[in-house]
Amino acid sequence: MKNSQEQPLVSIIVPVYNVEKYLDRCVESILGQDYRNIEVLLIDDGSTDNSGDICDKYSVDIRVKVIHQKNGGLSRARNTGLKNITGEYVAFIDSDDYISSQFISHALNQILVDKLDFIVFGYWEIRGGKLCEPAYKKDNMIQESLSAESINIRNLLIADKIPNYACNKLYKSELWNGVRFPEGRTYEDMHAIARLLERNPKIGYLAENLYYYNRDNPSSITSPLGKLNSRFRYDRFKSVKERISLVNKLNLSNVIKRELLFSCMDEAIEIILLNSGKHDLTEEEEIEVVEFIEKERRNPLLPQSYIGTKRCILAWGITYLSSIVKFYGKQRYKRKMDKLMRKF
C-alpha cells in the first residue's frame, strides 16, 4: 500500500434511522480502521430516537460529515450520501452492522492490485448474538466459481447465488455515476447492483469475512418477522424479475435464467400464501404475481423434477383453486406468526 499521503480517499456512507442501540458500535468500527484516509457520511434519515445526537457527537472527527434530513427511507439516505461523496472509492455500511478494522485496507489493496471496478468479500451473520457463516460460503461449487474469473463472479451475482447486498463490497465511485437506489421499495440493493452489472465491471472476490451483518435487528427485512411480510417479498419478486430481463439483455445461459425463474416462482408462491394471512398487497400487485405463476408454471425450464412436487401443486392450486390455497395460506401464516411471537 502507498504511503498515507498517496492513499486514495475512501467514502463510507452510513444511513441512520432509529438505531441508537447499535450506532456507536457501527461508527467506532469505521473510525477504528487501520486505513486512515476515509470520509464518513452519517445520513440521519429523520430519526426519532437519539440517533441524530449520536451522529453529531462524532462530527468532532474531521473525517465525519453528518447530514440530517426528513425521513425518506434507506434508499433516499444512501442516495443523499452518493450525492455528497468526494472519495475515489465508496462503501456502504448499514448502521446496525459493523466492520472489521481491516475492511478498507484489505479490500482496497485487492482492488488496486487486480485493477478492479469493485470487490466482493465475505461476511459474518449475527444470529442470536452468535457469528454464523452464510449459506453460500458452504456451497463448494459457488466457492470454486468465486476463485475463478471476474465473469463467473458477475454471473453468480446476477443469479443471486451470492447475496447482492450493497454492504459487503467496495466500489470505484465512478461506477455509481447515473446509478441510484430506487426509493419507496425494499430489496433496493438488488436493483442497484443489477444496474452496475449491466456495465460489465471487472469484479474480484476476497475470501475474508470483513463485514458483520446483524440479523438480530427485528426491523430488518431479512429478519424472521421481515420474511413474513408479503410487501417485502413482493419487492424481492420484482427485483428477481428484473434479473431475468438482464439475463436476456446480456444473452446469458439458460442455466442462469432457470435459477432466476425458480427463485421468482418460489417468491411468487410464498407471496400469495403470506398475503392470504395479512393483506399487504394491492389487488393489482396480487394479480401480477398470480399471472406470473400461471404463465411460468408451464415453462420447460421449470419441470416438476426441478422445482419440486409441493411447489407444482401450489402453483396449480393458485391457478385453479385459489380460494382453497388462500385458506391454507391464512392458516399457515397464523401458525408461523404464533411460533415467531413465542420467541419474543
Side-chain angles (χ1 to χ4, degrees):
M1 188 70 72
K2 301 176 183 178
N3 65 54
S4 59
Q5 294 182 340
E6 296 177 323
Q7 291 176 345
L9 178 65
V10 177
S11 300
I12 302 174
I13 297 172
V14 185
V16 176
Y17 180 71
N18 289 357
V19 284
E20 61 181 6
K21 179 180 177 181
Y22 307 106
L23 188 53
D24 279 312
R25 180 182 67 178
C26 175
V27 179
E28 294 289 350
S29 75
I30 297 170
L31 297 179
Q33 291 295 291
D34 59 14
Y35 185 91
R36 305 298 295 170
N37 194 24
I38 61 175
E39 66 171 4
V40 184
L41 290 89
L42 302 179
I43 315 298
D44 172 30
D45 191 43
S47 296
T48 57
D49 64 0
N50 293 320
S51 296
D53 293 335
I54 295 172
C55 289
D56 290 336
K57 176 181 70 175
Y58 288 103
S59 63
V60 296
D61 190 314
I62 61 171
R63 298 173 297 170
V64 177
K65 301 177 183 179
V66 178
I67 298 174
H68 298 281
Q69 65 181 32
K70 292 182 179 180
N71 179 250
L74 176 61
S75 288
R76 186 174 298 177
R78 284 177 174 169
N79 291 340
T80 296
L82 285 169
K83 292 176 185 176
N84 288 275
I85 60 173
T86 61
E88 187 178 348
Y89 296 88
V90 63
F92 301 92
I93 312 295
D94 285 347
S95 49
D96 55 347
D97 301 335
Y98 62 102
I99 58 176
S100 161
S101 62
Q102 299 169 324
F103 176 106
I104 298 297
S105 62
H106 285 201
L108 181 60
N109 184 67
Q110 201 67 39
I111 280 183
L112 296 175
V113 168
D114 293 338
K115 298 179 179 179
L116 303 172
D117 294 305
F118 77 87
I119 190 165
V120 183
F121 41 85
Y123 61 91
W124 292 105
E125 291 185 347
I126 305 170
R127 295 178 181 271
K130 298 180 180 179
L131 298 182
C132 310
E133 287 206 315
Y136 86 93
K137 296 278 284 187
K138 303 170 186 176
D139 189 311
N140 291 332
M141 291 184 65
I142 291 177
Q143 296 309 306
E144 290 175 9
S145 295
L146 283 172
S147 64
E149 298 179 357
S150 174
I151 193 169
N152 289 350
I153 301 172
R154 181 203 68 177
N155 290 347
L156 286 169
L157 283 166
I158 290 175
D160 200 31
K161 301 301 287 184
I162 54 174
N164 278 236
Y165 308 134
C167 295
N168 66 319
K169 300 166 181 68
L170 181 66
Y171 315 82
K172 278 187 175 179
S173 296
E174 64 184 25
L175 192 61
W176 286 90
N177 290 344
V179 176
R180 291 295 184 266
F181 293 90
E183 299 183 11
R185 60 186 277 189
T186 54
Y187 287 96
E188 59 286 315
D189 294 16
M190 290 190 70
H191 174 88
I193 298 297
R195 301 290 75 76
L196 300 185
L197 296 174
E198 284 181 334
R199 299 180 169 187
N200 198 28
K202 185 177 181 184
I203 311 169
Y205 182 77
L206 182 60
E208 294 183 44
N209 292 345
L210 301 176
Y211 193 90
Y212 294 82
Y213 178 24
N214 181 16
R215 295 276 196 172
D216 286 342
N217 185 354
S219 65
S220 169
I221 62 172
T222 56
S223 70
L225 187 59
K227 289 181 178 180
L228 294 180
N229 186 306
S230 60
R231 163 59 52 193
F232 293 168
R233 302 297 289 259
Y234 174 77
D235 284 345
R236 175 172 166 75
F237 165 79
K238 293 284 285 187
S239 294
V240 177
K241 276 184 71 178
E242 290 174 356
R243 293 302 175 90
I244 297 171
S245 298
L246 181 58
V247 167
N248 293 333
K249 180 178 180 180
L250 298 177
N251 198 28
L252 301 180
S253 74
N254 276 342
V255 173
I256 298 175
K257 187 173 183 178
R258 182 174 65 179
E259 289 287 341
L260 290 169
L261 279 169
F262 171 76
S263 179
C264 211
M265 178 65 76
D266 197 42
E267 285 294 339
I269 293 170
E270 187 66 19
I271 287 165
I272 298 302
L273 295 176
L274 292 175
N275 201 56
S276 301
K278 186 173 183 296
H279 304 290
D280 289 317
L281 302 187
T282 66
E283 183 179 353
E284 291 76 14
E285 289 167 341
E286 184 171 349
I287 289 172
E288 177 191 358
V289 176
V290 170
E291 287 180 345
F292 175 86
I293 293 171
E294 291 175 348
K295 176 184 176 184
E296 300 299 342
R297 71 183 189 85
R298 296 190 182 91
N299 192 312
L301 288 175
L302 295 177
Q304 180 176 332
S305 60
Y306 187 77
I307 70 171
T309 302
K310 183 176 180 179
R311 289 187 187 87
C312 284
I313 293 172
L314 285 169
W316 182 89
I318 290 168
T319 302
Y320 296 109
L321 296 172
S322 61
S323 59
I324 293 176
V325 172
K326 288 182 177 181
F327 177 79
Y328 163 74
K330 184 176 182 179
Q331 300 306 311
R332 176 178 176 268
Y333 176 84
K334 185 178 183 302
R335 289 196 303 272
K336 285 181 174 289
M337 284 297 296
D338 288 346
K339 182 179 180 180
L340 185 60
M341 290 302 103
R342 286 196 293 270
K343 294 182 179 180
F344 290 99

